[in-house]
């Protein structure tokens, strides 16, 4: 699949402060039957759909960025029941999740609930576009957002089988023990997020590294082939042996 055929997608990294220790991230476990990243732990997200573009067209700004932000917000509500990037009454979240998942348009649902988009609360964090792979290729924009107070996630039970809060380091350690699967982009982003002691720190890191599309490449070194990314985008680990990298 060529780069021109890449599917626009968006992901939301939702972070909450923990009572003790590092901040926690909203994580979903993909159903094993899913064709992309089946069984893996990921951040909520998915492809940008026509409805996202239609709603973005009513707003001022970069239409592709706006559509991606809307998709990230919509997918997070659908997959985890956490209303980030919107201002709605707390009681409206369960109904929003059910009806968005059923395919009802976000604009109409927000109007009905007396809510509104709050897309400025999303901080651009990264953009990844793989090349040279045999699975679906997603051009994915990652955004960072602070979790709403008291947000309790609810799994959709279809695309995902589990949703939970965990620190970036805890997810990495679970993968290292063999208790979880994380694909290459997720692992690199978790390693970067693990450097931040708070949402404020993570947002500052995001703003300090202007988003540039990350397209990993394979490099042959003395000890074998490595999957690599640029070393100037804030990532503490920029390569992994190819035979250990999980690409989808």
């Amino acid at each position: 699949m060529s780069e021109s055929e890449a599917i626009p997608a968006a992901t939301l990294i939702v972070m909450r402060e923990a009572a003790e220790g590092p901040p926690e991230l909203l994580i979903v476990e993909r159903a094993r039957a899913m064709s992309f990243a089946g069984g893996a732990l990921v951040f909520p997200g998915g492809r940008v759909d026509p409805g996202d573009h239609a709603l973005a067209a009513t707003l001022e700004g970069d239409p592709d960025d706006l559509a991606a932000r809307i998709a990230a917000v919509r997918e997070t509500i659908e997959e985890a029941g956490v209303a980030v990037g919107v201002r709605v009454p707390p009681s409206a979240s369960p109904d929003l999740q059910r009806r968005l998942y059923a395919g009802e348009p976000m604009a109409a649902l927000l109007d009905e609930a007396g809510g509104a988009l709050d897309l400025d609360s999303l901080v651009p964090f990264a953009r990844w576009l793989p090349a040279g792979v045999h699975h679906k290729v997603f051009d994915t924009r990652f955004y960072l957002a602070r979790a709403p107070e008291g947000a309790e996630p609810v799994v959709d039970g279809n695309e995902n089988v589990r949703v939970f809060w965990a620190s970036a380091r805890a997810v990495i350690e679970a993968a290292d023990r063999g208790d979880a699967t994380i694909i290459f982009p997720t692992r690199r982003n978790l390693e970067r997020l693990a450097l931040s002691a708070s949402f404020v720190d993570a947002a500052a890191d995001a703003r300090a590294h202007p988003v540039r599309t990350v397209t990993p490449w394979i490099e042959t070194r003395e000890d074998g082939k490595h999957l690599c990314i640029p070393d100037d985008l804030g990532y503490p680990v920029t390569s992994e042996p190819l035979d250990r990298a999980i690409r989808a």
Side-chain angles (χ1 to χ4, degrees):
M1 180 178 288
S2 68
E3 184 175 325
S4 63
E5 296 172 300
I7 302 166
T11 289
L12 193 54
I13 301 166
V14 183
M15 181 178 286
R16 74 174 186 181
E17 308 299 338
E20 296 182 2
E24 296 177 327
L25 309 172
L26 184 62
I27 304 292
V28 298
E29 181 178 344
R30 301 268 289 167
R32 293 193 177 276
M34 298 302 293
S35 60
F36 181 80
L41 300 184
V42 298
F43 307 112
R47 68 179 64 202
V48 182
D49 69 20
D52 303 321
H53 284 290
L55 182 50
T58 69
L59 307 173
E60 292 187 4
D62 177 349
D64 291 331
D65 174 62
L66 290 169
R69 289 173 187 250
I70 292 167
V73 168
R74 174 181 54 76
E75 290 282 354
T76 300
I77 297 172
E78 288 182 15
E79 295 183 1
V82 176
V84 181
V86 291
R87 294 187 293 270
V88 294
S91 60
S93 292
D95 195 45
L96 271 179
Q97 181 183 29
R98 177 182 61 80
R99 295 174 67 180
L100 282 172
Y101 197 84
E104 294 189 45
M106 176 178 281
L109 292 176
L110 288 177
D111 285 345
E112 183 180 323
L117 291 168
D118 183 20
L119 300 181
D120 288 342
S121 64
L122 275 60
V123 180
F125 184 76
R127 185 174 180 177
W128 283 67
L129 173 59
V133 294
H134 301 295
H135 54 72
K136 293 177 182 176
V137 174
F138 291 95
D139 179 1
T140 306
R141 300 177 190 236
F142 291 76
Y143 298 93
L144 180 69
R146 189 190 296 272
E149 189 71 27
E152 291 299 333
V154 179
V155 70
D156 67 22
N158 185 15
E159 295 183 9
N160 306 302
V161 297
R162 185 164 62 114
V163 58
F164 59 96
W165 296 102
S167 71
R169 182 56 54 191
V171 178
I172 293 169
E173 290 174 352
D176 289 345
R177 292 193 305 268
D179 295 336
T181 298
I182 48 178
I183 60 177
F184 183 82
T186 304
R187 187 179 186 100
R188 300 288 83 85
N189 282 313
L190 286 167
E191 290 162 346
R192 182 178 168 190
L193 290 160
L195 300 176
S196 296
S198 66
F199 174 81
V200 171
D201 287 349
D205 171 69
R207 295 187 176 103
H209 297 92
V211 173
R212 190 172 81 239
T213 302
V214 178
T215 297
W217 70 90
I218 297 172
E219 186 175 298
T220 300
R221 301 179 178 177
E222 290 184 359
D223 58 346
K225 293 183 176 180
H226 287 245
L227 191 60
C228 308
I229 62 172
D231 62 4
D232 61 345
L233 296 178
Y235 291 93
V237 179
T238 58
S239 71
E240 183 175 356
L242 185 60
D243 60 359
R244 295 211 307 260
I246 302 173
R247 304 183 75 182

